[in-house]
Amino acid sequence: MQIKEVNVRKMKMTMKHPFTTSFGTFQEKDFLLLEVKDELGNSGWGESVAFHSPWYSEETVETNLHMIRDFLAPLVLEGEIGHPDEVSERFANLRKNNMAKSTVEGAIWDLYAKRNGMTLAEALGGKSERIEVGISIGINENMDALVETVRGFIEEGYKRIKVKIKPGFDVEVMRELRKQFPDMPMMADANSAYRLEDLGVLKQLDEFGLMMIEQPLASDDIIDHAKLQSELKTPICLDESIHSLEDARKAVELGSTKIINIKIGRVGGLTEAKKIHDYCLAQDIPVWCGGMLESGIGRAHNVALTTLPNFVMPGDTAGSSRYWEEDVITPEVTVEDGFITVPTEHGIGYGINQEALDRFTVEKWQFKN
Ligand SMILES: O=C(O)CCC(=O)c1ccccc1C(=O)O
Ligand SMILES: [Mg+2]
């Protein structure tokens, strides 16, 4: 296939509820959407999961725009692409900037699947017809309100509850939630808010039978996580620390992680995500799909990836209505009884809600060869 056009939009969408992590609060969501078109008029869509500010990683909306405009779009407009796996090879000489790379690669995967009359899930080799989902809940210092939020999501059918924690908002919170919901699969995500010296606090979390604790230590660490894991009963799951198959292999070999959260953007795209999935399957390391508060486009990519067989734990990809009054896809992603039914239309499987897309667009760029 020959890519003829790369269309980029800067979007601004307001989340229904603010979402607070140990590193900051989100409400206005600025992000990029990208469309590629081929010589036959097929179109594919990708989403950048970079945030406005470099909180979660060093990438931002603006660094992604710079990378796409000045490096990545010219590379994909250059010559024929046989298979989407070739895109990451073409990008291999450019260091890091995984979220920017993933935006372009994801759009080409969607295009490739449509062009070949397949769903994106099928193009990736996924088999599941429905996927199990959990929910990620932000920090809320009002404990009664937090308990009611959790209760509401359990009643909606979500299969596991993830709660954000930070120093001073941890042991007592998990104790109360465990008391209220004794049998619910639960986990905590620290987004790198602790240091090895906090071992005493982290050890107390062992009492609550959590499925895992996500990214307790530094975002670039795998050494201290291995030390911590040797002292904890609760499995550690790495998020921020894993950018590639190589990172996954090293973390698994060191014993720094027993479960991996795969985020397509963080690892540079679907090809690398699939490699990490395959490696973890062979190593008996369960994986699940993380979320980045995506719009429907990114959400659809997550749904497709999650159909691979080693996604054996509920992911963070909740329904569109958890985040947005109105999403940019049609139909929106819906959750029933804790499951999302994988769409059967070709490519990402959801259509574009053109009116909403335009309404949330702040600026547009077009790159052509
Ligand atoms: O609902 C979602 O999309 C996932 C929410 C979430 O946990 C998250 C949101 C923003 C940044 C980082 C994370 C994370 O998984 O660490
Ligand atoms: Mg996380």
Side-chain angles (χ1 to χ4, degrees):
M1 54 193 167
Q2 176 65 53
I3 305 299
K4 288 286 186 190
E5 271 178 38
V6 177
N7 299 311
V8 179
R9 288 167 184 253
K10 189 191 279 188
M11 311 292 292
K12 190 186 264 306
M13 285 171 75
T14 306
M15 296 180 63
K16 268 189 187 170
H17 311 284
F19 186 89
T20 301
T21 69
S22 59
F23 55 75
T25 297
F26 298 86
Q27 178 125 44
E28 289 297 317
K29 183 136 193 300
D30 300 294
F31 64 100
L32 302 177
L33 290 178
L34 183 146
E35 181 192 28
V36 288
K37 283 195 179 160
D38 70 4
E39 79 283 12
L40 306 175
N42 294 302
S43 133
W45 286 86
E47 176 165 341
S48 159
V49 299
F51 297 121
H52 173 270
S53 309
W55 285 341
Y56 169 86
S57 80
E58 67 280 14
E59 293 187 78
T60 69
V61 172
E62 290 298 320
T63 69
N64 275 222
L65 192 56
H66 160 55
M67 284 301 297
I68 291 166
R69 187 212 299 121
D70 297 329
F71 299 102
L72 306 176
L75 278 174
V76 295
L77 286 164
E78 216 163 68
E80 291 268 330
I81 295 171
H83 187 276
D85 285 344
E86 294 166 23
V87 176
S88 47
E89 288 166 22
R90 246 183 232 203
F91 294 166
N93 284 339
L94 303 171
R95 292 195 198 275
K96 300 193 178 180
N97 294 286
N98 281 353
M99 293 174 180
K101 290 173 178 170
S102 171
T103 309
V104 179
E105 196 237 39
I108 292 174
W109 267 103
D110 178 29
L111 175 67
Y112 171 83
K114 284 177 180 146
R115 195 179 157 114
N116 289 283
M118 291 183 277
T119 65
L120 178 57
E122 283 164 351
L124 290 165
K127 300 264 188 302
S128 318
E129 290 173 6
R130 57 179 201 167
I131 61 164
E132 220 184 356
V133 292
I135 189 122
S136 174
I137 299 171
I139 290 170
N140 182 347
E141 311 267 358
N142 178 335
M143 195 60 216
D144 293 340
L146 181 62
V147 168
E148 287 324 302
T149 302
V150 170
R151 193 186 311 284
F153 285 126
I154 293 174
E155 281 166 7
E156 275 186 54
Y158 285 98
K159 301 283 187 192
R160 69 95 172 101
I161 298 293
K162 159 169 147 183
V163 184
K164 296 287 187 180
I165 57 169
K166 64 177 182 181
F169 186 85
D170 41 36
V171 179
E172 292 319 311
V173 176
M174 298 318 293
R175 187 188 310 286
E176 181 61 21
L177 290 175
R178 186 42 94 210
K179 191 176 125 206
Q180 298 279 342
F181 311 106
D183 304 320
M184 189 67 199
M186 270 195 310
M187 58 177 288
D189 185 0
N191 288 109
S192 296
Y194 297 87
R195 295 294 168 263
L196 208 46
E197 299 84 79
D198 300 313
L199 177 63
V201 175
L202 296 170
K203 252 184 135 96
Q204 289 181 61
L205 295 173
D206 275 345
E207 245 185 87
F208 310 123
L210 303 179
M211 296 171 81
M212 70 196 92
I213 176 168
E214 186 177 343
Q215 195 72 36
L217 308 180
S219 64
D220 57 358
D221 170 78
I222 55 169
I223 305 288
D224 285 356
H225 278 102
K227 292 185 188 164
L228 178 64
Q229 182 66 86
S230 71
E231 300 282 337
L232 290 187
K233 274 196 287 179
T234 309
I236 292 176
C237 168
L238 288 179
D239 172 354
E240 282 89 330
S241 295
I242 305 296
H243 304 99
S244 61
L245 170 61
E246 273 296 277
D247 284 353
R249 179 183 65 76
K250 290 170 187 169
V252 168
E253 285 183 11
L254 274 175
S256 324
T257 196
K258 290 186 175 165
I259 298 167
I260 292 181
N261 166 341
I262 299 182
K263 287 182 182 168
I264 304 166
R266 195 188 66 232
V267 304
L270 283 165
T271 296
E272 194 73 12
K274 190 168 151 55
K275 286 184 190 167
I276 296 172
H277 163 276
D278 295 351
Y279 167 79
C280 288
L281 180 62
Q283 299 296 318
D284 229 356
I285 298 284
V287 304
W288 54 278
C289 185
M292 293 286 278
L293 312 171
E294 292 94 341
S295 83
I297 305 278
R299 203 158 291 285
H301 285 262
N302 291 344
V303 170
L305 179 67
T306 307
T307 62
L308 294 174
N310 195 35
F311 282 86
V312 289
M313 291 179 159
D316 273 351
T317 303
S320 299
S321 68
R322 189 271 187 273
Y323 310 86
W324 316 112
E325 290 294 350
E326 190 180 9
D327 205 340
V328 296
I329 53 165
T330 170
E332 300 197 342
V333 176
T334 53
V335 174
E336 242 168 280
D337 232 359
F339 289 97
I340 293 172
T341 302
V342 179
T344 52
E345 300 285 316
H346 296 162
I348 59 173
Y350 298 87
I352 300 296
N353 177 347
Q354 192 66 44
E355 191 278 321
L357 184 78
D358 289 337
R359 187 154 28 93
F360 299 134
T361 298
V362 178
E363 209 176 337
K364 292 197 255 188
W365 297 265
Q366 183 168 69
F367 311 107
K368 279 178 143 175
N369 67 0

